[in-house]
């Protein structure tokens, strides 16, 4: 671990920040008590509390005091060892907070000046805006990409994740204000799941018109449920597939006209083929958004498409094995398969705008099933891993 962090026995309380800005290009911020973060060390070992006595904000940087965070599935993949990660690491990349201090020239995603006290969310990634990938519209694949909640703790960027009292936002981060009226449980996941769902729906819409389309969403987690709501509001008829009966019931509250249990045998009257037939969809579907990461679900998403259909794969963010595909069917069916990983700043801004308008139309807030204090992060992650909640909340 870097020499800068100091491990304490208990979390320091969050207090109103009192930034001290020194002359020059770097703003040196000292808070009393200091910001703290939970550092993950390795599988099976409890998080360690880390204090950061000083935060140095370069031009374009900002320091945000965390209001609320949520545990994402990728956090669970890391702590379980399903995905490798550098350590020590401050996890967490779904959060909402308030601007506590600013580096010179810090701006929002739209280029306007960021203000102290603003309630904001921010992108999962830090991009350079200058490399070939950024210039071609793929900032999430920047040549010098850094990601919140995924980077090894290092001197000068210790507060790099959301499981903390504060997060240090670096220049190149898309920062978007959110309305004070938006519940924290809805605002926090905007930084990952909600914006990713927006990107997935947009990827489908770039291939086929959604108004009047039939859409399959596989996986009724936060990405899948949000995608179902967005597609429904764009005029699509949505079917959701998930093995969990409670999540299938939840999907009906997010616009789905029908749900499917993918574990049922083909001959069952409520199996996938039977449900499609009952809806007059024997030829297949226009769109499939695969949000579960299950190999059988990926295969089904591709196989179920009608002529000219598009499958958007968004859930396969860890190895799931090979998936069979019939090239002749793809060619003769004029089918499209698109991969979506994370999102662009535009998708983040669009997701904020969408949920500010529509968060009352669907029960998004209920998707955070329980909340823990930051000091009980390990207990929160254990609870999230049970799968009993779409999201578990963390309060600093």
């Amino acid at each position: 671990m870097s020499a800068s962090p100091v491990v304490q026995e208990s979390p320091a309380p969050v207090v109103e920040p009192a930034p001290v800005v020194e002359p020059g290009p770097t703003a040196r911020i000292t808070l009393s008590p200091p910001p703290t973060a939970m550092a993950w060390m390795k599988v099976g070992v409890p998080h360690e509390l880390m204090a950061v006595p000083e935060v140095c904000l370069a031009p374009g940087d900002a320091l945000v005091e965390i209001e609320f965070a949520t545990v994402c599935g990728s956090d669970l993949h890391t702590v379980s060892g399903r995905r490798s990660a550098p350590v020590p690491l401050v996890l967490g990349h779904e959060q909402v907070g308030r601007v506590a201090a600013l580096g010179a020239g810090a701006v929002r995603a739209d280029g306007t000046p960021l203000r102290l006290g603003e309630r904001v969310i921010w992108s999962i990634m830090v991009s350079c805006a200058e490399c070939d990938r950024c210039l071609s519209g793929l900032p999430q694949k920047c040549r010098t990409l850094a990601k919140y909640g995924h980077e090894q703790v290092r001197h000068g960027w210790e507060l790099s994740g959301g499981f903390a009292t504060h997060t240090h936002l670096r220049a190149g981060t898309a920062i978007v204000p959110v309305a004070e009226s938006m519940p924290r449980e809805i605002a926090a996941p905007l930084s990952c799941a909600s914006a990713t769902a927006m990107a997935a729906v947009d990827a489908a819409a770039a291939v086929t018109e959604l108004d009047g389309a039939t859409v399959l969403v596989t996986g009724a987690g936060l990405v899948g449920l949000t995608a179902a709501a967005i597609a429904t509001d764009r005029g699509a008829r949505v079917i959701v597939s998930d093995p969990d009966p409670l999540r299938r019931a939840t999907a009906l509250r997010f616009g789905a006209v029908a749900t499917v249990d993918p574990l049922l045998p083909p001959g069952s009257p409520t199996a996938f083929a039977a449900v499609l037939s009952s809806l007059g969809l024997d030829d297949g579907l226009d769109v499939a958004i695969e949000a579960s990461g299950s190999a059988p679900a990926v295969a089904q998403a591709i196989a179920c498409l009608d002529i000219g259909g598009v499958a958007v794969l968004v859930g396969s963010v860890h190895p799931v094995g090979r998936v069979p595909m019939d090239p002749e069917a793809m060619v003769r069916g004029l089918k499209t398969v698109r991969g979506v990983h994370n999102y662009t700043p535009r998708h983040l801004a669009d997701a904020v705008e969408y949920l500010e308008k529509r968060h009352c139309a669907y029960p998004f807030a209920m998707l955070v099933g329980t909340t823990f204090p930051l000091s009980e992060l390990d207990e929160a992650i254990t609870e999230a891993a049970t799968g009993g909640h779409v999201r578990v909340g963390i309060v600093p």
Side-chain angles (χ1 to χ4, degrees), residues 19-30 54-57 102-104:
V20 178
V21 181
E22 294 182 354
T26 298
R28 298 185 180 277
I29 310 302
T30 57
E54 181 181 74
V55 180
C56 296
L57 300 183
L102 294 169

Side-chain angles (χ1 to χ4, degrees), residues 65-305:
E65 183 177 1
I66 302 297
E67 173 189 343
F68 191 75
T70 46
V71 180
C72 178
S74 62
D75 296 317
L76 301 180
H77 295 158
T78 299
V79 298
S80 67
R82 293 182 70 185
R83 187 179 65 185
S84 62
V87 294
L89 168 67
V90 179
L91 290 163
H93 53 269
E94 291 186 343
Q95 62 284 298
V96 60
R98 200 170 296 278
V99 178
L102 294 169
V107 296
R108 308 181 186 118
D110 63 4
T112 57
L114 196 60
R115 296 197 305 266
L116 283 172
E118 277 193 296
R119 191 177 189 233
V120 296
I121 54 95
W122 52 95
S123 63
I124 193 174
M125 75 286 294
V126 184
S127 305
C128 73
E130 297 178 350
C131 71
D132 56 331
R133 293 176 180 173
C134 287
L135 294 175
S136 65
L138 298 173
Q140 69 269 52
K141 297 299 175 182
C142 174
R143 297 283 183 184
T144 58
L145 183 72
K147 296 180 72 173
Y148 294 96
H150 294 73
E151 304 293 329
Q152 186 176 39
V153 169
R154 63 178 184 265
H155 181 69
W157 199 33
E158 296 88 353
L159 299 171
S160 56
F163 296 155
T165 62
H166 297 73
T167 300
H168 176 179
L169 306 188
R170 289 171 47 192
T173 303
I175 304 171
V176 181
V178 293
E180 297 288 344
S181 59
M182 184 183 290
R184 63 186 189 177
E185 293 84 359
I186 299 173
L190 275 161
S191 297
C192 181
S194 307
T196 300
M198 182 64 70
V201 174
D202 277 0
V207 177
T208 189
E209 173 60 50
L210 290 181
D211 191 7
T214 53
V215 176
L216 171 69
V217 175
T218 53
L222 190 48
V223 172
L225 292 171
T226 305
I230 296 170
T232 296
D233 283 346
R234 294 191 185 184
R237 185 164 54 154
V238 178
I239 302 163
V240 173
S241 174
D242 196 285
D244 188 322
L246 292 178
R247 294 202 177 191
R248 292 199 301 275
T250 300
L252 296 174
R253 301 180 65 184
F254 281 80
V257 299
T259 61
V260 172
D261 182 351
L263 302 182
L264 290 177
S268 169
T270 54
F272 182 65
V275 170
L276 292 193
S277 182
S278 70
L279 295 172
L281 301 173
D282 296 289
D283 290 334
L285 297 158
D286 302 305
V287 175
I289 297 175
E290 204 304 288
S292 72
S294 159
V298 172
Q300 183 183 63
I302 297 172
C304 77
L305 296 176

Side-chain angles (χ1 to χ4, degrees), residues 67-70 184-185 365 368-374 376 380 383 389 391-396:
E67 173 189 343
F68 191 75
T70 46
R184 63 186 189 177
E185 293 84 359
V368 178
T370 187
T371 298
F372 289 78
L374 181 63
E376 297 177 14
E383 181 66 23
H389 314 282
R391 282 294 185 273
V392 167
I394 304 292
V395 178

